[in-house]
């Protein structure tokens, strides 16, 4: 799989594939958008070959620009969040029933509403790393009719954090480990580890308020 993705990074279509994958994985969390970003960043690192260990693989002439990749990944993440948010906000009875049947979505609505009401949307940022967490939070915010000014800034911050982390994993992992395939593989494992930690934090019940004195 990594070899197939690696060959894709030599195509000028890599930016479009990354953007579409990130936008759609809010509805289809099985899409490997994070793996695509890491692989593209690894190709950019291989082209630079600036790490302490030389990259012992041929470097293709066409590789992604690291800054363009970061901007595109962040923008696509926010656009996907907004699409899910608007869909849930304008959704009809069928969507309402689907959300009501999901304990994850119902719980996310409650926690997200409380977090945004307190002016703290760290849950949105954490959920961006968890498997399907982005979907749960974006749909939950729309279903709860949270104001766009409450949700959008945190969505932007979440997109920047996720894109920055994914790009950094692929880029620096390849520079430090030398071999493109090894750097990519280790970076993907680190991405999944961050997702597992984020999922644990989301499932953990919020702390109970302190009793009044």
């Amino acid at each position: 799989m990594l070899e197939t993705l690696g060959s894709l990074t030599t195509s000028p279509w890599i930016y479009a594939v990354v953007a579409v994958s990130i936008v759609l994985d809010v509805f289809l969390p099985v899409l490997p958008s994070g793996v695509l970003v890491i692989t593209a960043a690894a190709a950019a690192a291989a082209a630079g070959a600036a790490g302490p260990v030389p990259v012992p693989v041929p470097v293709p002439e066409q590789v992604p620009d690291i800054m363009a990749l970061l901007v595109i990944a962040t923008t696509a993440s926010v656009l996907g969040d907004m699409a899910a948010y608007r869909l849930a906000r304008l959704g009809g009875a069928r969507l309402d029933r689907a959300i009501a049947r999901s304990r994850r979505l119902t719980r996310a609505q409650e926690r997200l509403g409380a977090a945004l009401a307190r002016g703290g949307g760290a849950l949105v940022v954490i959920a961006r790393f968890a498997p399907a967490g982005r979907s749960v939070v974006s749909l939950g915010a729309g279903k709860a009719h949270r104001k766009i000014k409450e949700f959008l800034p945190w969505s932007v911050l979440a997109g920047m954090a996720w894109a920055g982390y994914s790009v950094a994993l692929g880029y620096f992992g390849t520079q430090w480990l030398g071999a493109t395939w090894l750097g990519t593989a280790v970076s993907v494992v680190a991405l999944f580890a961050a997702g597992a930690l984020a999922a644990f934090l989301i499932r953990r019940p919020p702390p109970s308020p302190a009793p009044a004195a």
Side-chain angles (χ1 to χ4, degrees), residues 87-109:
L87 176 65
R89 189 177 177 88
L90 301 175
R94 179 179 298 180
L95 180 61
D96 292 343
R97 288 194 298 268
I99 293 178
R101 287 195 299 267
S102 172
R103 289 192 299 175
R104 293 178 64 187
L105 285 174
T106 302
R107 185 166 60 248
Q109 286 184 47

Side-chain angles (χ1 to χ4, degrees), residues 31-168:
L31 292 177
S33 58
V35 177
L36 278 172
V37 173
I38 287 175
T39 306
V53 180
V55 181
V57 294
V59 177
E61 295 181 0
Q62 293 183 338
V63 293
D65 178 82
I66 200 70
M67 291 306 300
L69 181 63
L70 183 61
V71 171
I72 289 172
T74 301
T75 303
S77 179
V78 176
L79 290 176
D81 288 355
M82 291 300 101
Y85 168 85
R86 294 296 297 176
L87 176 65
R89 189 177 177 88
L90 301 175
R94 179 179 298 180
L95 180 61
D96 292 343
R97 288 194 298 268
I99 293 178
R101 287 195 299 267
S102 172
R103 289 192 299 175
R104 293 178 64 187
L105 285 174
T106 302
R107 185 166 60 248
Q109 286 184 47
E110 296 172 353
R111 292 195 60 189
L112 182 62
L116 293 178
R118 293 193 303 267
L123 176 65
V124 180
V125 180
I126 295 173
R128 184 62 185 86
F129 292 83
R134 176 190 180 201
S135 307
V136 171
V137 169
S138 298
L139 291 171
K143 177 62 176 63
H145 292 273
R146 305 308 308 182
K147 295 180 180 179
I148 190 69
K149 66 180 181 180
E150 293 178 330
F151 180 65
L152 179 58
W154 291 104
S155 173
V156 173
L157 182 59
M160 292 175 62
W162 177 83
Y165 180 71
S166 302
V167 169

Side-chain angles (χ1 to χ4, degrees), residues 17-44:
V17 173
V18 166
V20 171
S21 176
I22 294 174
V23 169
L24 293 182
D25 78 359
V26 71
F27 304 106
L28 301 170
V30 296
L31 292 177
S33 58
V35 177
L36 278 172
V37 173
I38 287 175
T39 306

